Amino acid sequence: MNEFFKMSQSVSVSRLSLEGWWLGNCTEHVAKGTALGSDFTQNIYTPSRDGMIARYDRGLSQWLGEIEDMTWKLFFDVYGREFVIGEPDGDYPEGVIKEEPPEYDKETQTVLFKDDAWKVFAIELGKSYWDRETNEFIISDYNFTLPEKHSFIKPPKAEKGFVVRLVDDKWKQIEDHRDKVIYECNDCTQSEVVESIGCIKQGFTCDEPGTFYDEWIDGVWVTNQSNKYIADFNQVDETRRGLYARACDPLIAEANIKRLQGREQEAIDMETQTLAARTRIQTDHPWPEPLI
């Protein structure tokens, strides 16, 4: 505690913070019968060099060890915002950036500490950019970097049968056959649906064959009439046989039973029905026209 003065006088003092940190030296006028406040001491401290500071222990009435004053040491966050440590014996928070950002126009630019270096970005809020499939996006963030396979250049309109894609940073028209059925040239019965853009893969065509017996000759489908005739004949024969078995065979069997029972007329009637059914089947399913 400072002593009371027996006479009014001016004295040289060191000014102290509440925590006892040195705030500077000055001269104070003290009236008779009063004492210096706790924020002053006549035990003068003079820094050994600029930027140094000490702390006064009021209980021991002495200055403790001198340290570097960290109060106004600057540091920055990744966005270039400036902070100070704020305490003489403080230290830099973990992960902060001590390097000062470069000069930039705060009206049109921002800075960001990225990859261990400061980078300056133009403010492009509201600007359009497009991905490789021509989807449009609007910049809504500061410190924007155009992603890979994106472009600030507006894509052109796709031509009919094409889509526009970004290839090597340039817009290109690319064939689009997606959802179309393509047929294998070596076997017209084999087909598949196109799922991706680009040219039709080799050995396939978009042209639809007219029959299951077409062959790809000189860039067009040509029907193999011989194979078609054989297949059509076999199909009619198979159909007739199936219908005979369902419609005629039961009538023939029943006619035979009637005859065994001595009911000849009924047997004849059923045989007549059988012949009529056979004729109807043959009429509805004629043989294909023979090749000439």
Side-chain angles (χ1 to χ4, degrees), residues 4-24:
F4 288 91
F5 284 76
K6 296 180 179 180
M7 57 182 295
S8 297
Q9 58 185 292
S10 294
V11 293
S12 295
V13 294
S14 286
R15 190 159 56 92
L16 309 174
S17 70
L18 185 64
E19 294 81 13
W21 292 105
W22 178 75
L23 297 178

Side-chain angles (χ1 to χ4, degrees), residues 31-89:
K32 178 182 177 181
T34 63
L36 288 169
S38 61
D39 53 342
F40 294 98
T41 179
Q42 288 182 273
N43 189 358
I44 302 297
Y45 162 72
T46 302
S48 61
R49 58 182 175 84
D50 288 344
M52 303 301 288
I53 197 171
R55 190 172 188 175
Y56 188 69
D57 188 319
R58 292 182 175 91
L60 297 176
S61 298
Q62 66 180 29
W63 292 96
L64 304 180
E66 186 180 54
I67 62 172
E68 183 179 8
D69 186 4
M70 302 294 288
T71 303
W72 300 108
K73 296 288 185 180
L74 293 175
F75 63 90
F76 306 86
D77 66 8
V78 294
Y79 303 107
R81 290 176 294 199
E82 181 180 297
F83 301 89
V84 295
I85 293 177
E87 298 177 357
D89 58 349

Side-chain angles (χ1 to χ4, degrees), residues 100-262:
E100 188 172 351
E103 292 186 5
Y104 66 99
D105 185 347
K106 294 184 179 180
E107 295 295 324
T108 61
Q109 296 175 318
T110 59
V111 292
L112 181 69
F113 194 79
K114 187 176 180 180
D115 300 329
D116 296 325
W118 286 110
K119 296 183 179 180
V120 179
F121 295 83
I123 297 176
E124 297 182 300
L125 296 175
K127 184 176 180 179
S128 293
Y129 66 102
W130 291 264
D131 67 10
R132 64 182 301 274
E133 296 182 347
T134 73
N135 296 307
E136 183 179 4
F137 301 90
I138 304 297
I139 298 175
S140 60
D141 298 319
Y142 291 98
N143 309 318
F144 178 80
T145 298
L146 186 69
E148 290 186 6
K149 298 181 180 179
H150 288 68
S151 176
F152 283 123
I153 301 173
K154 186 176 181 179
K157 185 177 180 181
E159 299 172 3
K160 185 176 181 180
F162 290 79
V163 291
V164 173
R165 291 291 182 267
L166 189 67
V167 180
D168 297 330
D169 297 326
K170 294 181 180 179
W171 294 114
K172 292 189 177 181
Q173 303 276 350
I174 299 177
E175 293 181 37
D176 184 11
H177 302 283
R178 286 175 297 177
D179 298 327
K180 290 182 180 179
V181 179
I182 57 175
Y183 302 87
E184 188 174 346
C185 296
N186 290 330
D187 184 354
C188 71
T189 64
Q190 301 299 312
S191 64
E192 59 184 70
V193 177
V194 179
E195 295 181 351
S196 57
I197 62 175
C199 300
I200 295 172
K201 64 183 183 179
Q202 189 172 4
F204 282 77
T205 178
C206 279
D207 295 339
E208 183 179 359
T211 73
F212 290 125
Y213 316 101
D214 282 14
E215 298 174 351
W216 189 253
I217 300 174
D218 296 332
V220 294
W221 290 114
V222 178
T223 302
N224 186 317
Q225 296 295 339
S226 178
N227 289 344
K228 183 177 184 300
Y229 176 81
I230 293 171
D232 290 347
F233 186 93
N234 290 337
Q235 179 63 46
V236 172
D237 187 53
E238 182 180 344
T239 300
R240 285 187 177 188
R241 290 177 184 276
L243 293 174
Y244 291 159
R246 292 198 298 272
C248 298
D249 290 357
L251 292 172
I252 293 172
E254 187 63 24
N256 289 334
I257 293 173
K258 296 294 186 183
R259 184 167 284 113
L260 290 173
Q261 292 174 336

